[in-house]
Structure formats: C-alpha cells, structure tokens
Amino acid sequence: MDRDSLHAENANNQGGNKLVGLVLVTLSAPGVLHQLTGVIVRHRGDIRSISIIEDQGGAANIYLEVDVPGASEALVSDLQGLDVVRSITRVESMQKIYGKRIIIVGGGAQVGQVALGAISEADRHNIRGERISVDTIPLVGEQALAGAVRAVLRLPRVRALVMAGALMGGDIEAAVREVRDQGLLVISLNMAGSVPAACDLVVTDPVQAGVMAVMAVADTAKFRIERLSRREF
C-alpha cells in the first residue's frame, strides 16, 4: 500500500459512500460474524474496521465501521433483525472523532519530548477542523522496539511513526525498513545506531520532530516531506 492509499484509506465519503460506525451487542457464539458480514455484503457495504470491544457473559460488543452506498437505514434494520443481535447503536466513526494517528516509540525522556511537540502542533490543527491523535509507548530493548514498529501497521488510522531514542539499530532498523516499504512515514531523532539512515526524515530536536510529524500528515498544513531538499535537520 503506497502513501496516497494510506491517506485515502478512511475517507468518509468516496464515490458517494458514507462511513458508518456501528456498535452491536450480539450473542457470543460461533458464526456471529459470518451472519453480520452476510447482511453487510447484501447491502454492498465495505467493512473498513472491526473490533470486539468486550466479550463476556454470553454477549459480545462489536464495533464496525462500514462504507455503505447511500442511506444506511436499511442495513441497520436488517442487522437488527438477526436473531444473534440484541441491540445496535449508530455512532460517529473513529476516523471522525480521533482521526489520523501518530505513534511515538522509544525511550521515556525522548518520547515525552516528541509528544510535547506533536500534541502542541496537533492542537493547533485540530482547532481548525483537523483530527490528529498522538499515541506513545516508552520501550527498551531491541526486540521489544522492533516488535512495536512492526505492530504499528496493524493499528488503525496510523499515518506516521516517530522513533524517539538515543541508540537504535539491528532488527529495529530492519523493522523500520519493512514498514516504510508498506507506505508508512517514519521520522527519527538524530541518534546513534543505524535507524536514522532507514527513515524518511531525521530531526535532532525532539520537540521539533513531533511538530514536523504532525505537519507532515495534516491536511491543514502545506508542509510535505517529499518537497524537502534535505532529510536531516
């Protein structure tokens, strides 16, 4: 998947379709998802996201985001008519509420400073109608960090990853190259090790790295990394 596809992945209205968020309380039993998806297919819906929020006491709370052509009332009605569905609630999509995500991984001190810049800049753009959220996880150890980098592609709505540390290399570099090959923007602090050489952009100041990460993914910003004449700052 290229970067243009990542940016368009969760658009609310494409080709007349509308992204609908649904929270369903269903029986917890084999075949429930099969019945739900069967109804969605009949309505020409495209499932963009699905998660089981909670599963206990014989019931499951399932969250779905579905692209549906035209009005969604008929889809909701047919889902409600299934014997396995106890209730269904329409909600705003996570894309509309939380928007694009920036993930920051690395050492605690560096992660905190990158987050400071990213949150401050995201606030500026979100006031103007953008939706950007910032997630962090302080980690130590090559395998833990490499695993976290690879797992980013399994998270919904992620647009950029910031590597915030003092020394990263080895399998972490390999993981960075893997996620970049699949279209994810990766920004690194200027650190020891081989990770900076594998990233799209290298920034010395951690606060500035957070700011630039937000600017790179915000539709309300004119900053684009591909237009830069150099990649280290």
Side-chain angles (χ1 to χ4, degrees):
M1 182 181 290
D2 60 22
R3 266 189 209 131
D4 288 340
S5 298
L6 277 171
H7 280 284
E9 178 184 1
N10 287 304
N12 280 9
N13 292 285
Q14 291 186 7
N17 284 14
K18 181 178 181 182
L19 189 63
V20 179
L22 301 172
V23 176
L24 300 94
V25 180
T26 72
L27 298 180
S28 181
V32 170
L33 286 179
H34 176 73
Q35 294 188 52
L36 298 178
T37 55
V39 172
I40 293 169
V41 167
R42 290 200 300 273
H43 287 269
R44 296 182 294 121
D46 181 11
I47 298 174
R48 309 308 296 269
S49 178
I50 182 170
S51 60
I52 298 176
I53 305 170
E54 189 176 14
D55 188 346
Q56 62 180 11
N61 287 354
I62 300 174
Y63 174 68
L64 291 165
E65 289 186 0
V66 184
D67 255 333
V68 293
S72 58
E73 285 77 8
L75 168 64
V76 173
S77 176
D78 285 354
L79 287 171
Q80 183 68 71
L82 294 173
D83 291 338
V84 296
V85 175
R86 295 179 177 177
S87 67
I88 181 168
T89 305
R90 288 190 56 167
V91 295
E92 290 187 329
S93 70
M94 292 295 187
Q95 174 68 21
K96 185 172 182 180
I97 297 172
Y98 286 102
K100 306 162 190 170
R101 297 171 72 184
I102 293 172
I103 309 296
I104 307 168
V105 302
Q110 292 94 337
V111 165
Q113 289 301 298
V114 174
L116 176 64
I119 292 168
S120 298
E121 183 69 11
D123 183 61
R124 189 170 71 88
H125 291 280
N126 290 347
I127 287 173
R128 288 150 50 188
E130 183 71 78
R131 283 294 182 271
I132 298 172
S133 53
V134 179
D135 295 277
T136 66
I137 179 167
L139 289 171
V140 295
E142 180 180 345
Q143 294 309 311
L145 282 162
V149 170
R150 292 187 173 100
V152 166
L153 291 178
R154 302 197 295 271
L155 296 173
R157 309 183 320 280
V158 175
R159 295 295 180 267
L161 169 66
V162 183
M163 306 301 297
L167 170 63
M168 295 185 189
D171 195 35
I172 305 171
E173 177 198 352
V176 167
R177 294 190 183 277
E178 289 171 20
V179 297
R180 279 193 67 207
D181 285 344
Q182 297 186 61
L184 184 66
L185 170 67
V186 184
I187 296 173
S188 172
L189 296 187
N190 195 354
M191 67 177 81
S194 57
V195 160
C199 296
D200 294 280
L201 188 67
V202 180
V203 184
T204 299
D205 181 77
V207 175
Q208 182 70 7
V211 170
M212 294 179 80
V214 171
M215 291 173 62
V217 304
D219 293 332
T220 49
K222 296 182 179 179
F223 173 77
R224 292 294 179 267
I225 285 181
E226 57 269 19
R227 296 179 182 174
L228 297 176
S229 59
R230 59 193 178 100
R231 57 178 295 275
E232 295 187 13
F233 295 87

